[in-house]
Amino acid sequence: MMYDVNSVREDFPILARQIYGKPLVYLDNGATTQKPRCVVEAMVDEYYNVNANVHRGVHFLSQQATDLHEASRETVRRFINARSVNEIVFTRGTTESINLLAFSFGELMVKEGDEIVVSAMEHHSNIVPWQMMCARKGAVLKVIPMTDEGELQLDEYVKLLNAKTRLVCCTHVSNVLGTVNPVKELIRVAHAHGVPVLIDGAQSTPHFAVDMQDLDCDFFAFSGHKLYGPTGIGVLYGKEEWLDRLPPYQGGGEMIKNVSFDLTTYNELPYKFEAGTPDYIASHALAKAIDYLTGLGMDNVFRHEQDLTRYAMERMQDEVEGMRIFGPAEHHDAVISFLVRDIHHLDMGTLLDRLGIAVRTGHHCAEPLMHRLGIEGTVRASFGLYNTRQEVDALVEGIKRVAQMF
Ligand code: PLP
């Protein structure tokens, strides 16, 4: 199938906006993506025509809302090729998915002196929940180091695994460097040591197909809003044998089977981990976003964004004097972090904004990675399925213009 980016763009009304009188060039997709009409319309339609609380109602609307919510779980299952819908827990997003796991896994599995392995390029949301759990349990955080090029050092990783290691937590794709980590290999090695693995899929799921059974990870977290879906919804995937054993994270309605003041029993999977009214509007809209993505074809999306990334990296490197791009040349996803000479990232970002170009600046919630690179922050352009080569041209010309001002 031919990928027609211009017709794709028509599905996203916001892309027609002008910013300071210039066409919007939205290159902050790593932070959040824009929403296609079908996603927004699904939310409006459900609020207007279906809305009722799920799971507990005998009445028509409640059952219809429940059917939509549970059909969405099946859509997510298919999207990541999990074995069962019991392995799909709806959360508020990647951050909540990881906090859930850090609490529940910590309660069951971690004791004083145990070790949790994370990588040098994690987002704060895959560091801080583990630090908090380690502090509670007297456990220790170990870090997989990386090369100056931004690739994990697998030889050092292997040395970190020992009898005290309880879990390995690693991002699939770095939100700063764009590095696509060899997670399949990381998982294989961890399993050889009897250690389970959590993969942070916040930055992989929007860009290429993921397959839980092929990866064989034990846990996987991602966010709806980075996937062209709504805010406030995300997923924690966990192998059923793990989720069965782990204790619940929050208590309340939905997650119980029976409650008495003497004894409360917990609901079956996945409801054991879904206390309270779920965001059933968002789960339905997330399924619409997934349908939209799979309709375009994840392979087409991947090829399109890889073309943009290569094109941008080449032009930036060749045409901008003093350009420093962070991250590896190979296995580089649709995120480009850069600095030009000694121009402050905030100045670059602010001036690009005046040209209608939206990029992100700062530490990108990865301060330890910034320390490792010896910098305070970067400018980050991140691509989505609706970006074009013309927008890359606008970015490169914009960077050149700003560079001339300094
Ligand atoms: N992990 C990575 C790699 C991210 O890029 C992000 C968001 O930028 C997160 C986790 C956190 O996602 P959320 O804020 O949707 O929970």
Side-chain angles (χ1 to χ4, degrees):
M1 186 185 86
M2 266 289 289
Y3 189 80
D4 181 358
V5 69
N6 290 321
S7 100
V8 167
R9 288 177 71 81
E10 285 174 11
D11 297 331
F12 294 82
I14 203 171
L15 298 179
R17 269 203 71 173
Q18 304 258 313
I19 306 290
Y20 305 118
K22 312 232 163 36
L24 166 66
V25 176
Y26 185 78
L27 300 178
D28 194 18
N29 295 284
T32 199
T33 50
Q34 302 303 344
K35 317 306 170 199
R37 234 182 229 103
C38 61
V39 166
V40 180
E41 283 170 359
M43 299 180 84
V44 174
D45 182 59
E46 190 171 2
Y47 273 127
Y48 279 171
N49 296 308
V50 183
N51 183 51
N53 207 333
V54 290
H55 292 147
R56 290 176 295 264
V58 291
H59 63 82
F60 186 90
L61 289 184
S62 174
Q63 290 185 7
Q64 199 176 3
T66 304
D67 289 347
L68 288 176
H69 183 59
E70 292 307 326
S72 305
R73 203 187 298 276
E74 166 60 18
T75 302
V76 171
R77 183 205 66 73
R78 222 177 315 116
F79 181 60
I80 63 172
N81 195 28
R83 280 189 187 81
S84 156
V85 285
N86 293 346
E87 301 182 317
I88 308 298
V89 177
F90 283 123
T91 63
R92 282 193 301 120
T94 308
T95 303
E96 191 177 52
S97 297
I98 297 175
N99 276 276
L100 185 169
L101 186 67
F103 177 83
S104 297
F105 189 89
E107 286 301 287
L108 183 74
M109 296 295 295
V110 181
K111 58 184 192 319
E112 195 170 340
D114 283 350
E115 296 177 357
I116 303 293
V117 174
V118 299
S119 92
M121 61 176 82
E122 297 309 311
H123 188 279
H124 293 162
S125 64
N126 206 18
I127 300 173
V128 183
W130 301 113
Q131 278 178 327
M132 290 162 66
M133 187 270 278
C134 284
R136 262 197 329 270
K137 295 284 171 178
V140 184
L141 208 59
K142 296 282 175 176
V143 182
I144 313 168
M146 67 170 213
T147 64
D148 292 341
E149 288 70 43
E151 290 188 281
L152 294 180
Q153 291 175 252
L154 294 187
D155 47 342
E156 296 297 324
Y157 164 62
V158 177
K159 289 185 212 157
L160 288 178
L161 299 170
N162 62 53
K164 289 182 282 184
T165 315
R166 288 291 153 266
L167 186 68
V168 171
C169 309
C170 186
T171 193
H172 203 168
V173 173
S174 162
N175 65 311
V176 179
L177 303 167
T179 314
V180 183
N181 285 316
V183 290
K184 209 169 159 179
E185 177 64 6
L186 292 176
I187 293 161
R188 193 189 61 73
V189 172
H191 285 176
H193 287 77
V195 177
V197 180
L198 159 72
I199 300 298
D200 173 350
Q203 297 291 347
S204 60
T205 41
H207 303 296
F208 52 84
V210 298
D211 182 329
M212 293 305 105
Q213 297 185 55
D214 179 55
L215 284 180
D216 197 31
C217 55
D218 302 272
F219 306 99
F220 189 93
F222 62 99
S223 298
H225 71 97
K226 294 185 194 286
L227 198 64
Y228 308 93
T231 51
I233 187 97
V235 172
L236 175 68
Y237 159 85
K239 281 184 181 165
E240 193 161 354
E241 56 265 35
W242 271 115
L243 295 185
D244 259 337
R245 293 169 61 201
L246 296 181
Y249 168 52
Q250 294 181 327
E254 299 267 356
M255 54 76 71
I256 49 87
K257 193 168 270 161
N258 294 108
V259 179
S260 76
F261 286 115
D262 298 324
L263 180 72
T264 289
T265 52
Y266 303 130
N267 207 338
E268 59 211 26
L269 290 178
Y271 311 109
K272 182 171 85 174
F273 294 105
E274 295 181 350
T277 299
D279 195 339
Y280 51 86
I281 302 284
S283 62
H284 174 49
L286 172 61
K288 290 288 175 191
I290 290 174
D291 288 343
Y292 181 81
L293 267 169
T294 49
L296 292 176
M298 285 310 288
D299 290 349
N300 293 323
V301 168
F302 177 71
R303 265 196 301 276
H304 174 72
E305 294 177 348
Q306 279 294 307
D307 172 69
L308 293 179
T309 309
R310 300 286 138 199
Y311 178 62
M313 281 170 73
E314 267 171 42
R315 278 205 68 185
M316 287 163 72
Q317 205 77 70
D318 291 350
E319 296 177 36
V320 184
E321 190 219 321
M323 170 62 69
R324 188 173 164 204
I325 294 178
F326 298 87
E330 298 295 314
H331 312 296
H332 195 125
D333 208 56
V335 175
I336 305 178
S337 269
F338 65 93
L339 289 171
V340 180
R341 302 198 309 268
D342 57 354
I343 302 171
H344 197 275
H345 50 84
L346 200 58
D347 291 334
M348 176 62 80
T350 308
L351 290 166
L352 286 175
D353 177 56
R354 302 303 293 194
L355 302 172
I357 302 169
V359 293
R360 192 147 289 252
T361 63
H363 56 58
H364 314 296
C365 296
E367 284 192 50
L369 174 57
M370 295 297 125
H371 298 155
R372 167 67 182 81
L373 296 169
I375 54 176
E376 272 178 38
T378 69
V379 188
R380 184 185 74 179
S382 50
F383 302 110
L385 53 80
Y386 37 61
N387 289 124
T388 63
R389 277 190 168 222
Q390 289 87 324
E391 289 181 310
V392 172
D393 294 338
L395 172 69
V396 176
E397 297 309 323
I399 295 170
K400 286 199 230 170
R401 231 174 111 181
V402 174
Q404 274 168 6
M405 296 165 73
F406 285 83

